[in-house]
Structures are given as structure tokens and as C-alpha cells.
């Protein structure tokens, strides 16, 4: 079966979408740990930071740029926020489709 985030990309399962273009989609985390908790993912299936290649560097930069845009739109750019990649088992990564957590609105855990 296809990974859960690929299914969100294909709109097979619902998500509260904050941003979308041809390469990236951003949506609310289903179990938020901060007032604003948004996941920013590439539409293409890359498992983890461990699996990115040099060809993916522009795409990874776009993930961070998208986080910045979303932070501005949600009025947390000035107050500050946290960006987080969990990587692999000991990094606590649960979903095997690379995702950038945007955490803001109050002190995130
Ligand atoms: P990580 O531990 O970094 O792999 O984070 C995975 C995140 O995905 C967790 O914060 C989950 O709450 C979130 N998550 C899992 N399934 C969904 C879903 N269907 N929609 C939105 N967020 C999800
Ligand atoms: Zn996937």
C-alpha cells in the first residue's frame, strides 16, 4: 500500500491544506504538538533526509522557503517558530516520507 503522505498528495485521504504547488504540499499535523503545527512535504516520495541526493537540494530549499511563506501567512514570522526534520529510527521519524515540521504559536515541545 502507498504511504500515507503520498495518499494525501493524491487527495485519497483528507487533510487541511495550507499550501500547494506542483512540487510541494503543506497540511495540518493530525496530532499537533504546538498551536500551529504544519507538515511541509515534497509531492515526490523521498523516505528521509538520509535518502536525499544532490539533485534534491533545490527541492529541500523549497521546503524551507515554503515554511517561511506559511509562517508569514499565519502571523508567526516575527514571533518565531521551529522547523524540524526527524530522521530515521533514533530520530523518532514515524512516517517514511520526508516532511518538515513547522511548529509555532507557543513554545513547542
Ligand atoms: P514524524 O514523527 O517526524 O515522522 O512525524 C510524523 C507526523 O505525521 C506526526 O506528527 C503525525 O501526527 C503526523 N501524521 C500522521 N498521519 C497523519 C495524517 N493522516 N495527516 C496529518 N498528519 C499526520
Ligand atoms: Zn510517500
Amino acid at each position: 500500500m502507498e504511504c500515507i503522505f503520498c495518499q494525501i498528495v493524491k487527495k485519497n485521504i483528507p487533510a487541511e491544506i495550507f499550501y500547494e504547488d506542483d512540487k510541494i504540499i503543506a497540511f495540518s499535523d493530525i496530532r499537533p504538538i504546538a498551536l500551529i503545527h504544519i507538515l511541509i512535504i515534497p509531492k515526490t516520495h523521498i523516505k528521509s533526509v538520509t535518502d536525499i541526493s544532490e539533485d534534491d537540494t533545490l527541492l529541500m530549499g523549497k521546503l524551507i522557503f515554503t515554511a517561511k511563506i506559511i509562517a508569514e501567512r499565519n502571523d508567526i514570522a516575527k514571533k518565531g517558530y521551529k522547523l524540524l526534520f526527524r530522521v530515521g529510527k533514533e530520530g523518532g521519524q514515524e512516517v517514511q516520507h520526508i516532511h518538515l515540521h513547522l511548529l509555532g504559536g507557543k513554545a513547542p515541545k
Side-chain angles (χ1 to χ4, degrees):
M1 195 166 98
E2 213 167 30
C3 102
I4 192 142
F5 287 178
C6 282
Q7 291 186 63
I8 288 175
V9 170
K10 290 185 176 167
K11 313 276 167 72
N12 288 338
I13 64 167
E16 189 190 358
I17 294 168
F18 280 83
Y19 176 90
E20 182 168 14
D21 65 26
D22 57 330
K23 295 199 164 50
I24 286 171
I25 190 165
F27 51 90
S28 284
D29 195 293
I30 209 165
R31 290 190 301 273
I33 60 165
L35 212 55
I36 293 171
H37 188 171
I38 296 166
L39 301 174
I40 302 146
I41 71 166
K43 287 187 168 177
T44 184
H45 184 85
I46 300 168
K47 272 203 315 201
S48 130
V49 168
T50 306
D51 298 286
I52 59 177
S53 70
E54 202 169 349
D55 290 345
D56 299 318
T57 53
L58 181 60
L59 183 60
M60 293 301 107
K62 281 184 175 169
L63 284 188
I64 297 170
F65 185 73
T66 303
K68 171 205 138 122
I69 299 294
I70 293 171
E72 285 169 358
R73 287 184 186 168
N74 286 274
D75 216 23
I76 56 169
K78 286 207 176 94
K79 285 178 268 187
Y81 51 90
K82 188 173 185 175
L83 297 177
L84 170 70
F85 282 108
R86 296 198 178 100
V87 185
K89 202 173 171 187
E90 294 197 2
Q93 183 178 356
E94 285 175 9
V95 177
Q96 304 306 311
H97 181 133
I98 194 168
H99 49 281
L100 178 59
H101 294 259
L102 167 59
L103 299 157
K106 64 173 183 178
K109 286 174 199 166

